[in-house]
Amino acid sequence: MSEENIKKIVKRYKLLSSFWLFVFLIIAMFANWALIDSNIRNHSELGLEYYSSDTGFIWGAIIVGLNVVLQLFFYSLEKILLFLQQESSFSS
């Protein structure tokens, strides 16, 4: 397998994985919004005061953190596969 083929395969799976991570995070953010909205409505029906916590920073940290981990994984995988390919070409 050539170096270009390895890079092409890793890039394809990196894009696919990034897309699915994005979809998962959008679903998680929507679920979080729905739960908070439901909680606010329940508090107002009971006549209780609602104390909100600002979770914008937390979602930003989660999104950036998961994307960094995913990108580092694919970077490392590409480097390992290229190293193994070079080792096998030297031994041949």
Side-chain angles (χ1 to χ4, degrees):
M1 189 175 260
S2 71
E3 185 175 325
E4 290 300 318
N5 286 345
I6 291 173
K7 287 183 178 186
K8 189 170 117 178
I9 291 169
V10 169
K11 182 179 180 180
R12 180 178 59 199
Y13 282 105
K14 185 192 306 185
L15 290 174
L16 188 63
S17 297
S18 296
F19 169 75
W20 283 112
L21 177 63
F22 177 74
V23 169
F24 169 75
L25 288 172
I26 292 297
I27 292 170
M29 288 175 62
F30 177 74
N32 182 48
W33 173 80
L35 290 172
I36 289 173
D37 188 51
S38 172
N39 194 11
I40 291 171
R41 270 191 265 115
N42 289 340
H43 272 79
S44 67
E45 287 174 2
L46 294 173
L48 300 173
E49 191 173 329
Y50 179 73
Y51 295 102
S52 70
S53 59
D54 187 21
T55 58
F57 175 74
I58 293 172
W59 275 111
I62 290 171
I63 290 170
V64 169
L66 288 176
N67 279 306
V68 165
V69 169
L70 182 68
Q71 299 305 317
L72 286 174
F73 167 74
F74 278 108
Y75 175 79
S76 300
L77 180 66
E78 182 179 359
K79 293 299 179 187
I80 290 168
L81 291 175
L82 289 174
F83 177 76
L84 292 174
Q85 189 265 341
Q86 287 174 356
E87 287 291 317
S88 66
S89 68
F90 284 138
S91 64
S92 297

